[in-house]
Amino acid sequence: MTLHGWYPVFLREMLLFRRKLLKMGYLVSAMLVPLIYLAVFGYGLGKNVRLNGGDYLTFLIPGLVAMSSMTNSYTWVASALNLNRLYFKTFQLLIQAPISAGAIMLGEVLAGMVKGLFAASLLIVMGLCAPGHFQLTLPMLLALLLNCFMFASLGVVTGMLAKSHEDTSTYNNFFILPMSFFSGTFFPLDGLPALLKGVIYLLPLTHTNILIRKATLDNSAIISLLVMVVYTLIFWFVGSRLIRRYSE
Amino acid sequence: MIAVNNIRKSYGKVQALDGVSFTIDKGEVFGLLGPNGAGKSTLIRMLTCLTRPDDGSASIAGHDVVGGAAAIKSLVGVVPQENNLDRELSVEENLRIYGKLHRVVNQPRKIDEVLREVELTERRDSVVNGLSVGMKRRLIIARALLTDPAVLFLDEPSIGLDPQIRRQLWEIVRRTRKAGRTVLLTTHYIEEADALCHRIGVLRKGKLIALDTAAALKEMVGPYVVDQLSEDGRLLQHTARSREEAHALARSLENGCTVRRTNLEDVFVKLTGERIE
């Protein structure tokens, strides 16, 4: 499968993203939810909480980075693709262009990554400025990049499957929102009942949260990395197939 | 250049296309005439690789629309019925992205050319949202022409436009015709089909019920029409094979009648029993 032709797909999204960036509303909306979580759980509820000998903020910020990069990568791709396909009909231009399904997928996913990384970078800057011991590590960067790629790929799947724009919110409510709370973003998973823990370990964001908090690539980090790679490949394969088989 | 062979497509219980067959020669402007829901847009979507047929086959320049989609995509330009421009991007950005998707060589020169062709040069930096409906239609045509397509598909190109802008679009299509391109045009404006097309196919409920030149279609139903106003105020129309026959018929009818030449709308009414809306 040739990926030649991904660049104009990516460029189009970036031109639209640049226009959105110039509007203050976008910046505020990208920042608002993680800022609220940071204020409520970090500076409010978590002020006197200590985890594994460290302060709660140091635990929370990497989780918020994972969550924020997930929601932004996923939501922007799912929502834009769905709207472009069903309402604006601009997706049809990509299908009618002499480029492969893989090229369309790659362009959309890379654009989703940029949006996820942008939102995460705002949080990283805040984390570096906040009191505590938050620091950038190699596993964190790896987790962040893979997380964005993985959830942008899932965004393509949702964007292609959803039969209306309301449907994307339904997928969001059933899958993305619960995962944000139960995948180790706000609390460690060690103390959970075994059955619940088993379910939670099946969720891709859980492995991002494990990897993103690691200082080095130890065995458990590598296992989480491999799980993320497997999820990424599955989402990529399904997304590409949906694009390739697209017919109105 | 285009061959459609017994093509079928249904959406649930609705039969959008029901065994349609025809061919279009290279350089021909072919019109598909029919009311809303006749299957015109489905046929264009099929020929431009957006919709897969349930049955039958279609090809462009020998490439099958399913198996040879990649080759077809490099040959055709599409003007869809709806505005599918990127509304938040500028005129030039829309063309630039499209040019890159289709690997247009010497893109800046081509963009200049097509903008001149549709008289939008001065609006190249304008955001699409700020353009009038007519300008947006012209931009969509410019985009379709950017790749120098061998075949141009125009799906209801002048729908919703005022008569003056519609005629501007007709001029663009005429220039395209002179450039030797094959054009498939769908419309439910009778006048448009008459003015632009070498041959016209009449599509109704997914079936091609007539196909010929406008003159031959008019001849087929009778070259003259006698309009008669009935006592209850309805317009009754009778076709005649000659002027003499039409005048004789007019004299024999009780109410006031007028005799005129048949137009394509009369052909449509005669063939389908309904008026095109």
Side-chain angles (χ1 to χ4, degrees):
Chain A
M1 179 173 61
T2 172
L3 298 177
H4 187 77
W6 65 272
Y7 179 67
V9 181
F10 173 76
L11 176 67
R12 173 185 170 273
E13 289 292 337
M14 289 301 98
L15 289 171
L16 289 165
F17 185 53
R18 189 183 66 182
R19 285 239 148 75
K20 285 192 174 73
L21 271 185
L22 298 174
K23 297 173 186 166
M24 280 309 287
Y26 173 78
L27 273 177
V28 174
S29 78
M31 289 295 299
L32 198 60
V33 174
L35 268 179
I36 289 172
Y37 288 144
L38 196 63
V40 173
F41 295 111
Y43 294 108
L45 289 172
K47 208 159 106 183
N48 300 313
V49 177
R50 293 191 72 76
L51 287 170
N52 306 326
D55 63 289
Y56 183 61
L57 213 56
T58 307
F59 175 83
L60 180 65
I61 290 176
L64 288 180
V65 168
M67 188 189 80
S68 180
S69 61
M70 170 189 74
T71 46
N72 278 280
S73 300
Y74 169 82
T75 310
W76 277 101
V77 174
S79 180
L81 198 55
N82 188 256
L83 283 172
N84 291 341
R85 186 167 65 83
L86 297 176
Y87 299 101
F88 300 128
K89 305 281 183 186
T90 48
F91 178 73
Q92 282 73 343
L93 287 180
L94 306 183
I95 293 291
Q96 287 172 325
I99 59 173
S100 69
I104 297 173
M105 180 85 189
L106 184 61
E108 295 288 354
V109 168
L110 289 179
M113 271 185 88
V114 169
K115 291 161 191 174
L117 289 172
F118 174 76
S121 65
L122 297 174
L123 268 168
I124 289 171
V125 170
M126 284 169 56
L128 291 171
C129 299
H133 300 95
F134 174 81
Q135 54 187 352
L136 280 172
T137 61
L138 177 67
M140 178 182 277
L141 288 175
L142 208 55
L144 183 58
L145 289 171
L146 199 51
N147 194 49
C148 289
F149 198 95
M150 176 170 66
F151 282 105
S153 302
L154 180 62
V156 172
V157 175
T158 304
M160 293 301 293
L161 284 177
K163 290 185 168 59
S164 70
H165 193 51
E166 290 72 31
D167 268 6
T168 57
S169 307
T170 310
Y171 285 98
N172 204 46
N173 291 341
F174 274 103
F175 193 60
I176 298 295
L177 192 64
M179 197 159 53
S180 305
F181 284 94
F182 291 109
S183 298
T185 305
F186 297 100
F187 52 86
L189 303 173
D190 309 339
L192 293 175
L195 184 65
L196 184 60
K197 213 161 142 180
V199 174
I200 287 174
Y201 271 85
L202 288 175
L203 301 174
L205 187 65
T206 304
H207 296 278
T208 310
N209 275 322
I210 292 171
L211 188 61
I212 210 166
R213 292 192 173 103
K214 293 283 182 185
T216 55
L217 280 175
D218 57 17
N219 281 347
S220 74
I222 288 170
I223 288 170
S224 288
L225 183 67
L226 288 176
V227 173
M228 290 174 75
V229 168
V230 169
Y231 269 115
T232 304
L233 289 174
I234 292 170
F235 296 152
W236 176 276
F237 175 77
V238 176
S240 302
R241 189 180 163 89
L242 287 169
I243 295 172
R244 191 163 46 251
R245 298 186 154 217
Y246 182 80
S247 175
E248 292 190 346
Chain B
M1 190 66 171
I2 299 176
V4 176
N5 184 26
N6 201 26
I7 214 153
R8 292 174 201 277
K9 178 75 185 174
S10 61
Y11 295 99
K13 288 180 181 172
V14 178
Q15 191 74 42
L17 289 172
D18 190 6
V20 173
S21 300
F22 61 88
T23 56
I24 302 176
D25 294 333
K26 194 176 175 197
E28 183 178 4
V29 178
F30 184 89
L32 271 176
L33 193 65
N36 290 328
K40 307 186 298 288
S41 296
T42 303
L43 189 57
I44 286 214
R45 283 203 303 271
M46 218 168 261
L47 290 170
T48 57
C49 312
L50 212 49
T51 299
R52 290 175 195 213
D54 295 337
D55 199 11
S57 63
S59 64
I60 297 177
H63 304 286
D64 183 76
V65 290
V66 179
I72 288 180
K73 289 171 183 180
S74 301
L75 284 174
V76 306
V78 188
V79 176
Q81 196 173 136
E82 64 279 337
N83 166 16
N84 67 347
L85 294 163
D86 274 311
R87 294 154 172 82
E88 290 181 46
L89 298 185
S90 71
V91 167
E92 185 176 354
E93 283 167 340
N94 267 279
L95 295 175
R96 193 147 56 92
I97 298 291
Y98 190 82
K100 284 183 187 296
L101 280 169
H102 288 260
R103 295 167 213 166
V104 171
V105 290
N106 206 347
Q107 210 181 108
R109 184 183 59 80
K110 278 301 299 175
I111 289 176
D112 287 345
E113 263 177 42
V114 293
L115 283 177
R116 252 199 318 274
E117 172 77 19
V118 299
E119 297 169 34
L120 280 176
T121 304
E122 283 168 17
R123 302 303 298 265
R124 67 187 304 149
D125 296 321
S126 302
V127 173
V128 166
N129 261 337
L131 300 180
S132 68
V133 176
M135 284 174 179
K136 285 175 190 161
R137 283 316 277 170
R138 272 149 50 199
L139 177 56
I140 293 173
I141 292 178
R143 189 181 64 186
L145 294 175
L146 190 65
T147 59
D148 263 331
V151 182
L152 185 64
F153 289 95
L154 299 152
D155 192 4
E156 302 278 4
S158 55
I159 196 163
L161 299 180
D162 62 50
Q164 190 192 345
I165 309 254
R166 193 179 300 166
R167 281 190 160 68
Q168 271 185 6
L169 283 182
W170 290 5
E171 278 313 306
I172 295 170
V173 176
R174 284 193 182 107
R175 287 201 290 271
T176 293
R177 187 170 67 181
K178 276 183 195 155
R181 291 190 179 95
T182 306
V183 179
L184 195 160
L185 167 96
T186 75
T187 184
H188 64 260
Y189 292 120
I190 304 271
E191 195 190 356
E192 188 163 88
D194 212 358
L196 298 175
C197 302
H198 294 120
R199 282 191 308 151
I200 294 161
V202 181
L203 207 56
R204 183 181 179 241
K205 293 181 180 171
K207 286 181 188 288
L208 192 66
I209 56 172
L211 170 60
D212 217 320
T213 61
L217 286 172
K218 290 171 195 170
E219 189 64 35
M220 183 178 78
V221 299
Y224 291 90
V225 171
V226 180
D227 286 329
Q228 178 197 10
L229 201 60
S230 72
E231 285 174 359
D232 57 358
R234 285 182 303 122
L235 180 68
L236 303 175
Q237 293 178 318
H238 313 272
T239 50
R241 307 299 320 167
S242 66
R243 179 189 287 268
E244 293 71 29
E245 185 188 330
H247 281 288
L249 183 63
R251 279 193 299 275
S252 70
L253 295 167
E254 289 176 5
N255 290 321
C257 295
T258 52
V259 174
R260 61 176 173 80
R261 303 281 298 191
T262 299
N263 60 36
L264 268 182
E265 184 158 12
D266 303 317
V267 174
F268 191 83
V269 172
K270 184 85 177 176
L271 290 173
T272 67
E274 59 186 275
R275 283 195 180 276
I276 203 161
E277 296 295 336

